[in-house]
Amino acid sequence: MRGHNASLASKNVTLPADQSWVKLLDDNSSRMYLCIQNDHDNHSITIGFGNNTTAPTSGLNLDGSATVGDKAATWEFSVAPINAIWAKVNDAHAHDIEVIYDD
């Protein structure tokens, strides 16, 4: 298990317009922090949890915002899920999201 001083990594992920699930992170039993920001576009996304090879069939809805840093478009996990993290758009509109996690 990692200590409190784990470094954070950030990556931008483009979710495709075809509403297919995109794996954001592999499963990781030592993950301590995860934040997903959907502040590049006003369209909502779905965040799901699964394993490394199978996309989820449902998930949590996260509103979108065109305002950078909008808390209403940010999902911060106080206890990071160790499962693989997946996401998809809820409409036929591709857009970017930001994923911040401990590496």
Side-chain angles (χ1 to χ4, degrees), residues 31-47:
R31 183 179 297 130
M32 303 286 282
Y33 181 80
L34 173 65
C35 177
I36 298 173
Q37 292 181 307
N38 187 23
D39 60 0
H40 292 277
D41 200 305
N42 286 322
H43 298 272
S44 67
I45 64 170
T46 298
I47 302 165

Side-chain angles (χ1 to χ4, degrees), residues 27-100:
D27 61 5
N28 181 340
S29 61
S30 62
R31 183 179 297 130
M32 303 286 282
Y33 181 80
L34 173 65
C35 177
I36 298 173
Q37 292 181 307
N38 187 23
D39 60 0
H40 292 277
D41 200 305
N42 286 322
H43 298 272
S44 67
I45 64 170
T46 298
I47 302 165
F49 311 98
N51 61 44
N52 287 338
T53 57
T54 307
T57 56
S58 63
L60 310 167
N61 189 58
L62 178 59
D63 289 337
S65 174
T67 304
V68 174
D70 188 343
K71 287 293 190 185
T74 300
W75 206 302
E76 187 171 22
F77 294 86
S78 57
V79 177
I82 62 173
N83 309 75
I85 312 301
W86 298 71
K88 67 176 187 138
V89 297
N90 292 332
D91 53 24
H93 183 83
H95 68 276
D96 294 340
I97 62 171
E98 195 75 26
V99 182
I100 301 106

